[in-house]
Amino acid sequence: MRVVLAEDHFLLRDGLARLLTAFGHEVAAAVDNGPELLAALMDLRPDVAIVDVRLPPGFSDEGLRAAVEARGRVPGLPVLLLSQYVEPLYAHELLATGSEGVGYVLKDRVSNGAQFIGTIERVARGGTAMDPEVISQLLVRKARDTAMAALTGREREVLECLAQGRSNAGIAEALFISEKAVAKHIGNIFPKLGLPPSDTDNRRVLAVLAYLNH
Amino acid sequence: MPTTTDPQPQPQPQPRPPGPKKPHPTRSPAHPGAFTRSLLLWGLSLRALWVSLWTTHAHLFFMSGLRAKLLPRAVKSVRKLADRQRQLAEEWSGRDFPAPYPELPSADQGAALRAQLASREGQVWRDWRWANLHPYVGGLIAFAPLALVLSGVWGLLTAVFGVRLSQEWDSIWYLFVPVQNWPTAALAGVLGALQFPLAFRWAAPRAVSLHERYLRAMLAPSEDELRAEMAEMAHRIDHLTTTRTAAVDTQMAEIRRIERDLHDGAQARLVAMGMTLDAAEHLLESNPEAVRALLAEARENSTKALQELRDLVRGIHPPVLADRGLADAVRSLALISPLRTEVRADLPARPEPPVESAAYFAVSELMTNAAKHSGAGRARIDISHEPARPDYEPDIDTGTDRGTGTDTATRTGPTPGTLRIKVTDDGRGGADATRGTGLRGIEQRLATFDGVLTVSSPLGGPTTVTLEVPCALSSPKTTSC
């Protein structure tokens, strides 16, 4: 994969580049500010971009703006946002550019290298990766919605995992239940949310995200 | 014109202690320089005529929206003239001449200037009233001694030429004397001559002192006004003292909370991490399995420490507020609120950061309250900023019940504008600002900025809480609202 990296913190940028190289990916460009990022995304059209939300020159949300702008010009350009904080509003704005090939995770997740690379690869393939913290914050809001209220506690946990883009096997592993049970829960969740059941992982995630983004 | 009536150089006014309001007893009524002074005052009244014509024009243009730039200069010229008059009056009477001016707005603050002019009280208004009246009243008073002198001169001229003139013009009168022959001409001369001492000794000092009294009546604030101003200031000081104490207490409580959170949270976790890593180091050789568990524990602790630091920062100053400003920060609150919340924001620019922060946390607390206690399913937040208006009144009712709102701040005169946030939910109502500690806390924190909280919460709902904070918008707009 060809990756564009935008991170103003030298140590983290260097570390990420090393990590990517170690897993056999190519770092096409590593930039440290918003305008350069946008230029790099437009020129290089990478397979995936890893972008820190807070970048120079303004140190506010330049990374997000550049990512949103780039996805506006190149629909579906895979972008994984990294941040010290997860901000539901930013997740909302990112998802507004389409829910394929986007991710928004805490920088903490970088510490688990293999898992982080998995996340990047999922986004590059057009999948979705939302930090569990974003999901849980957004789920709080939905808790009152009648449709959500109909879900059992376990079903909500499953939905949360679904929103993170996990496979049935991944959910089973995360929740310490059998894959069969997961499939049963998913079968229950979709009708409750008024969503037609579907086979592919990606469409399930899209449905969940569409619902969260509603 | 003989102005050399003062036999000696004019004595400089003695510095006197400010005190008695009645005319100073040691002042001689027949001040030798009085006539010169009356002449000076008359000259100034002529200038006032010019200024008054000019300002009236400027005012008309200003009110019709044209040439607004003329007005500040007109205001300044009035003030300059009034200052000169007050300075003379102070110098000559040895008594203070108070002139409590509000701060003069800069040239580009047309609205604030308009507000000052539109008010029917205050020094600016007194100045204008005075400037328009002064050419006539002040001019008349100041002209009286000169009129007597001119009349005296005419009397002397009549004495010399009167007889001949009366033959040419049939008859002439001087005062009540028909001048026909030399005795009547002489009488006119005597009457005329008598007017000189009358003018210098009697009329001039009286005209000067009358002029001063008239100036004070027109320009100085009345006793009542001064008293009212003092009372208002005292009230304001009370209010500031109270809110400052509350602000300091709140700040201290915040600092203590942060200290405690750090001490019990991230700090404790880092200590635990250090110990875990230490233990892992010792077990590295003997028990690799245990080391693996210890490392997992250390990572868990680091994750939790980061989580706690994030929560702490969010509680101090949420990143989204710093990055995007109040409107988007409130939108973010709405996104994670259990209530279905609609946010409408109309802010052309950002308020001052402290106001922004106070408003954000107030809304955050209101949303939490609504979600916890109201039983509501939906909420609406309206954010707007109202620019300063000249006829500002602290009435903030917008048509709903006033409820139990308590106005803690007294605001008089124009404000720099008002940030207004309305939080409405469709819950069961019955919220009471006097009972809930949450609402009281918000009220106290807003009071630091002279903000006001109004609650309308009839039983059965809906509950509307309105926050109003006087503030100007300054920072440039960074995002679309």
Side-chain angles (χ1 to χ4, degrees), chain B residues 147-378:
Chain B
L148 276 175
V149 167
L150 290 176
S151 165
V153 170
W154 177 236
L156 291 180
L157 288 176
T158 314
V160 179
F161 303 109
V163 179
R164 207 169 65 204
L165 283 176
S166 72
Q167 283 158 5
E168 279 175 32
W169 296 351
D170 287 348
S171 72
I172 55 168
W173 287 75
Y174 180 71
L175 301 180
F176 51 87
V177 182
V179 178
Q180 284 152 345
N181 43 27
W182 72 263
T184 45
L187 182 59
V190 171
L191 283 175
L194 280 176
Q195 282 179 54
F196 289 104
L198 190 67
F200 292 135
R201 295 258 143 200
W202 184 82
R206 270 165 191 76
V208 171
S209 106
L210 178 65
H211 191 276
E212 187 207 327
R213 263 180 288 153
Y214 143 79
L215 267 188
R216 283 190 194 275
M218 294 297 292
L219 276 181
S222 73
E223 295 282 310
D224 279 353
E225 273 174 301
L226 277 180
R227 243 198 309 278
E229 214 156 286
M230 293 283 282
E232 196 177 294
M233 298 256 274
H235 185 161
R236 182 93 190 118
I237 290 170
D238 273 356
H239 174 67
L240 288 177
T241 314
T242 317
T243 53
R244 189 178 62 173
T245 314
V248 169
D249 286 352
T250 314
Q251 197 187 8
M252 266 327 287
E254 278 290 281
I255 290 172
R256 270 195 298 272
R257 182 183 65 81
I258 292 165
E259 188 270 336
R260 209 169 40 234
D261 281 4
L262 280 175
H263 186 265
D264 299 346
Q267 207 177 344
R269 293 211 181 273
L270 287 174
V271 171
M273 252 169 78
M275 285 163 61
T276 314
L277 290 175
D278 192 50
E281 195 178 7
H282 284 297
L283 290 173
L284 198 53
E285 302 291 321
S286 57
N287 191 349
E289 263 319 297
V291 170
R292 192 185 297 276
L294 285 172
L295 287 180
E297 192 187 322
R299 174 185 286 175
E300 178 139 325
N301 265 327
S302 94
T303 307
K304 287 205 170 129
L306 280 170
Q307 171 78 44
E308 280 164 9
L309 285 175
R310 264 198 300 274
D311 290 347
L312 192 62
V313 168
R314 210 189 294 271
I316 298 169
H317 193 66
V320 68
L321 182 63
D323 294 353
R324 294 289 193 86
L326 185 60
D328 275 355
V330 169
R331 284 198 182 94
S332 174
L333 278 179
L335 272 178
I336 59 170
S337 167
L339 306 179
R340 276 191 172 279
T341 309
E342 187 189 344
V343 180
R344 286 193 196 168
D346 180 19
L347 286 180
R350 288 178 66 166
E352 294 294 317
V355 174
E356 219 175 31
S357 174
Y360 171 84
F361 284 108
V363 173
S364 167
E365 187 143 354
L366 289 175
M367 291 301 291
T368 312
N369 279 354
K372 264 193 203 156
H373 307 301
S374 74
R378 285 171 180 277

Side-chain angles (χ1 to χ4, degrees), chain B residues 385-410:
Chain B
H385 183 267
E386 189 173 305
R389 44 185 171 124
D391 54 336
Y392 184 82
E393 285 169 29
D395 180 17
I396 52 173
D397 204 341
T398 49
T400 47
D401 287 353
R402 269 311 275 270
T404 54
T406 44
D407 290 11
T408 51
T410 11

